[in-house]
Structure formats: structure tokens, C-alpha cells
mmCIF file of all heavy atoms in Angstrom:
data_model
loop_
_atom_site.group_PDB
_atom_site.id
_atom_site.type_symbol
_atom_site.label_atom_id
_atom_site.label_comp_id
_atom_site.label_asym_id
_atom_site.label_seq_id
_atom_site.Cartn_x
_atom_site.Cartn_y
_atom_site.Cartn_z
ATOM 1 N N VAL K 12 0.856 -1.185 0.000
ATOM 2 C CA VAL K 12 0.000 0.000 0.000
ATOM 3 C C VAL K 12 0.890 1.231 0.000
ATOM 4 O O VAL K 12 1.874 1.301 0.725
ATOM 5 C CB VAL K 12 -0.928 -0.001 1.242
ATOM 6 C CG1 VAL K 12 -1.775 1.251 1.290
ATOM 7 C CG2 VAL K 12 -1.807 -1.241 1.230
ATOM 8 N N GLU K 13 0.516 2.220 -0.834
ATOM 9 C CA GLU K 13 1.301 3.456 -0.941
ATOM 10 C C GLU K 13 0.697 4.567 -0.110
ATOM 11 O O GLU K 13 -0.519 4.650 0.049
ATOM 12 C CB GLU K 13 1.357 3.925 -2.406
ATOM 13 C CG GLU K 13 2.444 3.293 -3.198
ATOM 14 C CD GLU K 13 2.618 3.930 -4.571
ATOM 15 O OE1 GLU K 13 2.317 5.131 -4.746
ATOM 16 O OE2 GLU K 13 3.059 3.207 -5.468
ATOM 17 N N GLY K 14 1.599 5.427 0.362
ATOM 18 C CA GLY K 14 1.208 6.639 1.069
ATOM 19 C C GLY K 14 2.298 7.675 0.859
ATOM 20 O O GLY K 14 3.283 7.424 0.170
ATOM 21 N N THR K 15 2.136 8.835 1.461
ATOM 22 C CA THR K 15 3.163 9.868 1.316
ATOM 23 C C THR K 15 4.045 9.980 2.543
ATOM 24 O O THR K 15 5.174 10.446 2.454
ATOM 25 C CB THR K 15 2.515 11.243 1.023
ATOM 26 O OG1 THR K 15 1.584 11.535 2.058
ATOM 27 C CG2 THR K 15 1.825 11.225 -0.334
ATOM 28 N N SER K 16 3.517 9.565 3.704
ATOM 29 C CA SER K 16 4.309 9.602 4.936
ATOM 30 C C SER K 16 3.730 8.564 5.894
ATOM 31 O O SER K 16 2.617 8.081 5.697
ATOM 32 C CB SER K 16 4.273 10.984 5.573
ATOM 33 O OG SER K 16 2.977 11.247 6.083
ATOM 34 N N LEU K 17 4.475 8.287 6.935
ATOM 35 C CA LEU K 17 4.008 7.315 7.914
ATOM 36 C C LEU K 17 2.725 7.797 8.584
ATOM 37 O O LEU K 17 1.777 7.027 8.766
ATOM 38 C CB LEU K 17 5.105 7.070 8.959
ATOM 39 C CG LEU K 17 4.880 5.923 9.922
ATOM 40 C CD1 LEU K 17 4.610 4.628 9.185
ATOM 41 C CD2 LEU K 17 6.074 5.771 10.832
ATOM 42 N N ALA K 18 2.657 9.089 8.936
ATOM 43 C CA ALA K 18 1.461 9.641 9.588
ATOM 44 C C ALA K 18 0.233 9.520 8.681
ATOM 45 O O ALA K 18 -0.852 9.162 9.133
ATOM 46 C CB ALA K 18 1.705 11.097 9.960
ATOM 47 N N LYS K 19 0.399 9.814 7.408
ATOM 48 C CA LYS K 19 -0.735 9.753 6.486
ATOM 49 C C LYS K 19 -1.074 8.310 6.098
ATOM 50 O O LYS K 19 -2.200 8.013 5.717
ATOM 51 C CB LYS K 19 -0.451 10.588 5.246
ATOM 52 C CG LYS K 19 -0.438 12.060 5.569
ATOM 53 C CD LYS K 19 -0.394 12.905 4.348
ATOM 54 C CE LYS K 19 -0.427 14.363 4.790
ATOM 55 N NZ LYS K 19 -0.422 15.280 3.707
ATOM 56 N N PHE K 20 -0.096 7.434 6.191
ATOM 57 C CA PHE K 20 -0.327 6.038 5.838
ATOM 58 C C PHE K 20 -1.364 5.413 6.767
ATOM 59 O O PHE K 20 -2.251 4.686 6.331
ATOM 60 C CB PHE K 20 0.980 5.248 5.918
ATOM 61 C CG PHE K 20 0.850 3.843 5.409
ATOM 62 C CD1 PHE K 20 1.043 3.555 4.077
ATOM 63 C CD2 PHE K 20 0.507 2.809 6.260
ATOM 64 C CE1 PHE K 20 0.914 2.271 3.605
ATOM 65 C CE2 PHE K 20 0.373 1.517 5.797
ATOM 66 C CZ PHE K 20 0.573 1.244 4.469
ATOM 67 N N GLN K 21 -1.257 5.706 8.045
ATOM 68 C CA GLN K 21 -2.162 5.097 9.010
ATOM 69 C C GLN K 21 -3.610 5.541 8.821
ATOM 70 O O GLN K 21 -4.521 4.864 9.256
ATOM 71 C CB GLN K 21 -1.665 5.375 10.424
ATOM 72 C CG GLN K 21 -0.350 4.660 10.670
ATOM 73 C CD GLN K 21 0.316 5.042 11.978
ATOM 74 O OE1 GLN K 21 0.087 6.110 12.506
ATOM 75 N NE2 GLN K 21 1.154 4.152 12.475
ATOM 76 N N ASP K 22 -3.819 6.669 8.145
ATOM 77 C CA ASP K 22 -5.171 7.149 7.843
ATOM 78 C C ASP K 22 -5.618 6.764 6.434
ATOM 79 O O ASP K 22 -6.718 7.116 6.018
ATOM 80 C CB ASP K 22 -5.242 8.675 7.979
ATOM 81 C CG ASP K 22 -4.999 9.122 9.408
ATOM 82 O OD1 ASP K 22 -5.348 8.358 10.333
ATOM 83 O OD2 ASP K 22 -4.444 10.223 9.596
ATOM 84 N N ASN K 23 -4.774 6.043 5.702
ATOM 85 C CA ASN K 23 -5.070 5.682 4.315
ATOM 86 C C ASN K 23 -6.198 4.641 4.279
ATOM 87 O O ASN K 23 -6.083 3.581 4.877
ATOM 88 C CB ASN K 23 -3.791 5.112 3.666
ATOM 89 C CG ASN K 23 -3.949 4.865 2.190
ATOM 90 O OD1 ASN K 23 -5.051 4.696 1.684
ATOM 91 N ND2 ASN K 23 -2.834 4.828 1.497
ATOM 92 N N PRO K 24 -7.314 4.940 3.582
ATOM 93 C CA PRO K 24 -8.419 3.981 3.526
ATOM 94 C C PRO K 24 -8.059 2.694 2.782
ATOM 95 O O PRO K 24 -8.747 1.691 2.917
ATOM 96 C CB PRO K 24 -9.535 4.747 2.811
ATOM 97 C CG PRO K 24 -8.863 5.855 2.094
ATOM 98 C CD PRO K 24 -7.609 6.168 2.845
ATOM 99 N N GLN K 25 -6.986 2.712 2.010
ATOM 100 C CA GLN K 25 -6.559 1.496 1.300
ATOM 101 C C GLN K 25 -5.821 0.526 2.231
ATOM 102 O O GLN K 25 -5.603 -0.625 1.872
ATOM 103 C CB GLN K 25 -5.651 1.848 0.125
ATOM 104 C CG GLN K 25 -6.366 2.541 -0.990
ATOM 105 C CD GLN K 25 -5.439 2.848 -2.140
ATOM 106 O OE1 GLN K 25 -4.237 3.022 -1.974
ATOM 107 N NE2 GLN K 25 -5.997 2.911 -3.335
ATOM 108 N N TRP K 26 -5.439 0.991 3.416
ATOM 109 C CA TRP K 26 -4.730 0.134 4.361
ATOM 110 C C TRP K 26 -5.761 -0.656 5.160
ATOM 111 O O TRP K 26 -6.179 -0.271 6.232
ATOM 112 C CB TRP K 26 -3.828 0.964 5.265
ATOM 113 C CG TRP K 26 -2.874 0.126 6.050
ATOM 114 C CD1 TRP K 26 -2.197 -0.971 5.619
ATOM 115 C CD2 TRP K 26 -2.495 0.322 7.404
ATOM 116 N NE1 TRP K 26 -1.404 -1.467 6.628
ATOM 117 C CE2 TRP K 26 -1.576 -0.693 7.735
ATOM 118 C CE3 TRP K 26 -2.833 1.249 8.374
ATOM 119 C CZ2 TRP K 26 -0.996 -0.801 8.987
ATOM 120 C CZ3 TRP K 26 -2.248 1.141 9.620
ATOM 121 C CH2 TRP K 26 -1.332 0.124 9.925
ATOM 122 N N LYS K 27 -6.188 -1.773 4.584
ATOM 123 C CA LYS K 27 -7.214 -2.618 5.176
ATOM 124 C C LYS K 27 -6.566 -3.882 5.746
ATOM 125 O O LYS K 27 -5.380 -4.134 5.532
ATOM 126 C CB LYS K 27 -8.253 -2.995 4.114
ATOM 127 C CG LYS K 27 -8.940 -1.797 3.477
ATOM 128 C CD LYS K 27 -9.957 -2.216 2.450
ATOM 129 C CE LYS K 27 -9.271 -2.568 1.156
ATOM 130 N NZ LYS K 27 -10.166 -2.871 0.050
ATOM 131 N N THR K 28 -7.346 -4.673 6.422
ATOM 132 C CA THR K 28 -6.849 -5.917 7.003
ATOM 133 C C THR K 28 -6.389 -6.871 5.902
ATOM 134 O O THR K 28 -7.115 -7.109 4.931
ATOM 135 C CB THR K 28 -7.943 -6.595 7.851
ATOM 136 O OG1 THR K 28 -8.350 -5.675 8.866
ATOM 137 C CG2 THR K 28 -7.442 -7.874 8.479
ATOM 138 N N VAL K 29 -5.179 -7.403 6.076
ATOM 139 C CA VAL K 29 -4.592 -8.334 5.104
ATOM 140 C C VAL K 29 -4.441 -9.698 5.767
ATOM 141 O O VAL K 29 -4.080 -9.797 6.941
ATOM 142 C CB VAL K 29 -3.225 -7.821 4.608
ATOM 143 C CG1 VAL K 29 -2.479 -8.875 3.814
ATOM 144 C CG2 VAL K 29 -3.407 -6.570 3.768
ATOM 145 N N VAL K 30 -4.730 -10.741 5.000
ATOM 146 C CA VAL K 30 -4.504 -12.110 5.458
ATOM 147 C C VAL K 30 -3.473 -12.761 4.539
ATOM 148 O O VAL K 30 -3.316 -12.388 3.375
ATOM 149 C CB VAL K 30 -5.804 -12.950 5.483
ATOM 150 C CG1 VAL K 30 -6.747 -12.455 6.545
ATOM 151 C CG2 VAL K 30 -6.462 -12.975 4.137
ATOM 152 N N CYS K 31 -2.755 -13.717 5.107
ATOM 153 C CA CYS K 31 -1.727 -14.450 4.374
ATOM 154 C C CYS K 31 -2.083 -15.926 4.384
ATOM 155 O O CYS K 31 -2.271 -16.513 5.450
ATOM 156 C CB CYS K 31 -0.369 -14.232 5.037
ATOM 157 S SG CYS K 31 0.918 -15.303 4.373
ATOM 158 N N LYS K 32 -2.186 -16.514 3.200
ATOM 159 C CA LYS K 32 -2.337 -17.965 3.095
ATOM 160 C C LYS K 32 -0.934 -18.524 2.886
ATOM 161 O O LYS K 32 -0.234 -18.134 1.948
ATOM 162 C CB LYS K 32 -3.245 -18.338 1.928
ATOM 163 C CG LYS K 32 -4.700 -18.072 2.197
ATOM 164 C CD LYS K 32 -5.568 -18.641 1.106
ATOM 165 C CE LYS K 32 -7.027 -18.436 1.461
ATOM 166 N NZ LYS K 32 -7.913 -19.040 0.483
ATOM 167 N N LEU K 33 -0.532 -19.428 3.782
ATOM 168 C CA LEU K 33 0.810 -19.996 3.749
ATOM 169 C C LEU K 33 0.751 -21.428 3.221
ATOM 170 O O LEU K 33 0.024 -22.264 3.770
ATOM 171 C CB LEU K 33 1.424 -19.965 5.152
ATOM 172 C CG LEU K 33 2.851 -20.455 5.277
ATOM 173 C CD1 LEU K 33 3.815 -19.594 4.456
ATOM 174 C CD2 LEU K 33 3.270 -20.479 6.738
ATOM 175 N N PHE K 34 1.526 -21.679 2.159
ATOM 176 C CA PHE K 34 1.569 -22.994 1.530
ATOM 177 C C PHE K 34 2.983 -23.563 1.632
ATOM 178 O O PHE K 34 3.960 -22.818 1.700
ATOM 179 C CB PHE K 34 1.221 -22.893 0.031
ATOM 180 C CG PHE K 34 -0.172 -22.421 -0.241
ATOM 181 C CD1 PHE K 34 -0.456 -21.066 -0.339
ATOM 182 C CD2 PHE K 34 -1.212 -23.319 -0.413
ATOM 183 C CE1 PHE K 34 -1.741 -20.614 -0.606
ATOM 184 C CE2 PHE K 34 -2.496 -22.892 -0.679
ATOM 185 C CZ PHE K 34 -2.755 -21.531 -0.779
ATOM 186 N N VAL K 35 3.092 -24.893 1.604
ATOM 187 C CA VAL K 35 4.382 -25.578 1.555
ATOM 188 C C VAL K 35 4.335 -26.587 0.413
ATOM 189 O O VAL K 35 3.259 -27.108 0.062
ATOM 190 C CB VAL K 35 4.724 -26.285 2.901
ATOM 191 C CG1 VAL K 35 3.785 -27.437 3.175
ATOM 192 C CG2 VAL K 35 6.171 -26.743 2.926
ATOM 193 N N GLN K 36 5.505 -26.845 -0.154
ATOM 194 C CA GLN K 36 5.635 -27.819 -1.238
ATOM 195 C C GLN K 36 6.980 -28.496 -1.063
ATOM 196 O O GLN K 36 7.954 -27.867 -0.634
ATOM 197 C CB GLN K 36 5.545 -27.096 -2.584
ATOM 198 C CG GLN K 36 5.559 -27.980 -3.795
ATOM 199 C CD GLN K 36 6.909 -28.034 -4.462
ATOM 200 O OE1 GLN K 36 7.743 -27.163 -4.302
ATOM 201 N NE2 GLN K 36 7.134 -29.075 -5.205
ATOM 202 N N SER K 37 7.057 -29.800 -1.347
ATOM 203 C CA SER K 37 8.311 -30.534 -1.183
ATOM 204 C C SER K 37 8.430 -31.635 -2.226
ATOM 205 O O SER K 37 7.480 -32.383 -2.443
ATOM 206 C CB SER K 37 8.376 -31.155 0.213
ATOM 207 O OG SER K 37 9.560 -31.901 0.365
ATOM 208 N N LYS K 38 9.589 -31.721 -2.840
ATOM 209 C CA LYS K 38 9.937 -32.825 -3.741
ATOM 210 C C LYS K 38 8.843 -33.160 -4.746
ATOM 211 O O LYS K 38 8.428 -34.303 -4.873
ATOM 212 C CB LYS K 38 10.293 -34.067 -2.930
ATOM 213 C CG LYS K 38 11.476 -33.882 -2.023
ATOM 214 C CD LYS K 38 11.743 -35.142 -1.238
ATOM 215 C CE LYS K 38 12.852 -34.915 -0.248
ATOM 216 N NZ LYS K 38 13.047 -36.061 0.624
ATOM 217 N N GLY K 39 8.338 -32.174 -5.435
ATOM 218 C CA GLY K 39 7.363 -32.420 -6.484
ATOM 219 C C GLY K 39 5.930 -32.568 -6.004
ATOM 220 O O GLY K 39 5.046 -32.873 -6.790
ATOM 221 N N SER K 40 5.695 -32.365 -4.721
ATOM 222 C CA SER K 40 4.313 -32.469 -4.224
ATOM 223 C C SER K 40 3.522 -31.253 -4.691
ATOM 224 O O SER K 40 4.080 -30.261 -5.144
ATOM 225 C CB SER K 40 4.291 -32.535 -2.692
ATOM 226 O OG SER K 40 4.583 -31.275 -2.134
ATOM 227 N N VAL K 41 2.224 -31.325 -4.524
ATOM 228 C CA VAL K 41 1.383 -30.159 -4.781
ATOM 229 C C VAL K 41 1.586 -29.175 -3.629
ATOM 230 O O VAL K 41 2.118 -29.538 -2.583
ATOM 231 C CB VAL K 41 -0.106 -30.553 -4.902
ATOM 232 C CG1 VAL K 41 -0.337 -31.476 -6.069
ATOM 233 C CG2 VAL K 41 -0.626 -31.153 -3.616
ATOM 234 N N HIS K 42 1.157 -27.936 -3.812
ATOM 235 C CA HIS K 42 1.227 -26.958 -2.725
ATOM 236 C C HIS K 42 0.143 -27.291 -1.704
ATOM 237 O O HIS K 42 -1.022 -27.476 -2.059
ATOM 238 C CB HIS K 42 1.048 -25.540 -3.266
ATOM 239 C CG HIS K 42 2.277 -25.020 -3.919
ATOM 240 N ND1 HIS K 42 2.601 -25.290 -5.231
ATOM 241 C CD2 HIS K 42 3.283 -24.281 -3.435
ATOM 242 C CE1 HIS K 42 3.751 -24.725 -5.525
ATOM 243 N NE2 HIS K 42 4.187 -24.094 -4.451
ATOM 244 N N VAL K 43 0.535 -27.347 -0.440
ATOM 245 C CA VAL K 43 -0.360 -27.727 0.648
ATOM 246 C C VAL K 43 -0.577 -26.503 1.542
ATOM 247 O O VAL K 43 0.384 -25.892 2.001
ATOM 248 C CB VAL K 43 0.251 -28.883 1.469
ATOM 249 C CG1 VAL K 43 -0.639 -29.233 2.651
ATOM 250 C CG2 VAL K 43 0.501 -30.092 0.593
ATOM 251 N N LEU K 44 -1.841 -26.170 1.784
ATOM 252 C CA LEU K 44 -2.168 -25.040 2.646
ATOM 253 C C LEU K 44 -1.864 -25.396 4.095
ATOM 254 O O LEU K 44 -2.375 -26.377 4.627
ATOM 255 C CB LEU K 44 -3.646 -24.665 2.498
ATOM 256 C CG LEU K 44 -4.141 -23.515 3.370
ATOM 257 C CD1 LEU K 44 -3.446 -22.206 2.995
ATOM 258 C CD2 LEU K 44 -5.651 -23.369 3.246
ATOM 259 N N LEU K 45 -0.983 -24.603 4.729
ATOM 260 C CA LEU K 45 -0.634 -24.817 6.133
ATOM 261 C C LEU K 45 -1.505 -24.003 7.081
ATOM 262 O O LEU K 45 -1.677 -24.356 8.230
ATOM 263 C CB LEU K 45 0.837 -24.465 6.371
ATOM 264 C CG LEU K 45 1.843 -25.385 5.706
ATOM 265 C CD1 LEU K 45 3.255 -24.851 5.872
ATOM 266 C CD2 LEU K 45 1.737 -26.791 6.279
ATOM 267 N N GLY K 46 -2.006 -22.880 6.585
ATOM 268 C CA GLY K 46 -2.841 -22.042 7.433
ATOM 269 C C GLY K 46 -3.049 -20.676 6.835
ATOM 270 O O GLY K 46 -2.418 -20.303 5.843
ATOM 271 N N GLU K 47 -3.959 -19.933 7.453
ATOM 272 C CA GLU K 47 -4.240 -18.554 7.052
ATOM 273 C C GLU K 47 -4.005 -17.676 8.269
ATOM 274 O O GLU K 47 -4.520 -17.968 9.349
ATOM 275 C CB GLU K 47 -5.679 -18.440 6.560
ATOM 276 C CG GLU K 47 -6.011 -17.082 5.996
ATOM 277 C CD GLU K 47 -7.371 -17.049 5.321
ATOM 278 O OE1 GLU K 47 -7.632 -17.897 4.450
ATOM 279 O OE2 GLU K 47 -8.161 -16.165 5.684
ATOM 280 N N TYR K 48 -3.211 -16.619 8.085
ATOM 281 C CA TYR K 48 -2.799 -15.770 9.201
ATOM 282 C C TYR K 48 -3.142 -14.322 8.895
ATOM 283 O O TYR K 48 -2.892 -13.836 7.791
ATOM 284 C CB TYR K 48 -1.282 -15.897 9.426
ATOM 285 C CG TYR K 48 -0.857 -17.320 9.680
ATOM 286 C CD1 TYR K 48 -0.492 -18.154 8.626
ATOM 287 C CD2 TYR K 48 -0.851 -17.834 10.969
ATOM 288 C CE1 TYR K 48 -0.117 -19.470 8.851
ATOM 289 C CE2 TYR K 48 -0.474 -19.151 11.206
ATOM 290 C CZ TYR K 48 -0.110 -19.963 10.143
ATOM 291 O OH TYR K 48 0.262 -21.265 10.373
ATOM 292 N N GLU K 49 -3.693 -13.627 9.897
ATOM 293 C CA GLU K 49 -3.983 -12.203 9.746
ATOM 294 C C GLU K 49 -2.704 -11.420 10.008
ATOM 295 O O GLU K 49 -2.003 -11.669 10.989
ATOM 296 C CB GLU K 49 -5.071 -11.777 10.724
ATOM 297 C CG GLU K 49 -5.514 -10.347 10.521
ATOM 298 C CD GLU K 49 -6.725 -9.991 11.364
ATOM 299 O OE1 GLU K 49 -7.749 -10.686 11.254
ATOM 300 O OE2 GLU K 49 -6.620 -9.011 12.127
ATOM 301 N N ILE K 50 -2.398 -10.473 9.135
ATOM 302 C CA ILE K 50 -1.207 -9.639 9.282
ATOM 303 C C ILE K 50 -1.507 -8.534 10.292
ATOM 304 O O ILE K 50 -2.522 -7.844 10.179
ATOM 305 C CB ILE K 50 -0.781 -9.027 7.922
ATOM 306 C CG1 ILE K 50 -0.544 -10.120 6.879
ATOM 307 C CG2 ILE K 50 0.436 -8.138 8.086
ATOM 308 C CD1 ILE K 50 0.539 -11.112 7.230
ATOM 309 N N SER K 51 -0.623 -8.378 11.277
ATOM 310 C CA SER K 51 -0.836 -7.341 12.292
ATOM 311 C C SER K 51 -0.714 -5.951 11.651
ATOM 312 O O SER K 51 -0.168 -5.811 10.563
ATOM 313 C CB SER K 51 0.172 -7.486 13.431
ATOM 314 O OG SER K 51 1.384 -6.877 13.101
ATOM 315 N N ARG K 52 -1.168 -4.945 12.347
ATOM 316 C CA ARG K 52 -1.087 -3.577 11.826
ATOM 317 C C ARG K 52 0.144 -2.862 12.363
ATOM 318 O O ARG K 52 0.260 -1.648 12.248
ATOM 319 C CB ARG K 52 -2.373 -2.839 12.144
ATOM 320 C CG ARG K 52 -3.507 -3.579 11.425
ATOM 321 C CD ARG K 52 -4.789 -2.936 11.228
ATOM 322 N NE ARG K 52 -4.919 -1.603 10.823
ATOM 323 C CZ ARG K 52 -5.286 -1.220 9.591
ATOM 324 N NH1 ARG K 52 -5.467 -2.120 8.650
ATOM 325 N NH2 ARG K 52 -5.467 0.037 9.319
#
């Protein structure tokens, strides 16, 4: 997300809650979902 300064970034309406889906893959396996994590602010 872009902003002009740190102070203005925190008020940016585009800075919404983000989640991360974490996958693992090994030795030719398919990607396996390990979990979904909310990114802190």
C-alpha cells in the first residue's frame, strides 16, 4: 500500500486488514495449505 508519509499512511483507507495464506511444497508435491494468518497492523 502506498502513502506519502508514515502519519498519512495510518489514515489511508486502502490500508485494510490483510490475510496471508501460507503454503508448503516438497519434492514435487502439490502446494499444501498450512494455514491462514492475519497480518498485524
Side-chain angles (χ1 to χ4, degrees):
V12 177
E13 275 189 28
T15 56
S16 69
L17 190 54
K19 291 190 178 181
F20 187 88
Q21 293 172 335
D22 296 329
N23 187 337
Q25 291 181 332
W26 192 40
K27 301 180 280 185
T28 302
V29 169
V30 292
C31 171
K32 286 188 176 184
L33 183 62
F34 296 88
V35 67
Q36 184 259 338
S37 178
K38 299 179 185 174
S40 73
V41 297
H42 283 84
V43 177
L44 179 64
L45 292 173
E47 186 171 307
Y48 303 90
E49 186 172 304
I50 303 300
S51 83
R52 298 197 43 106

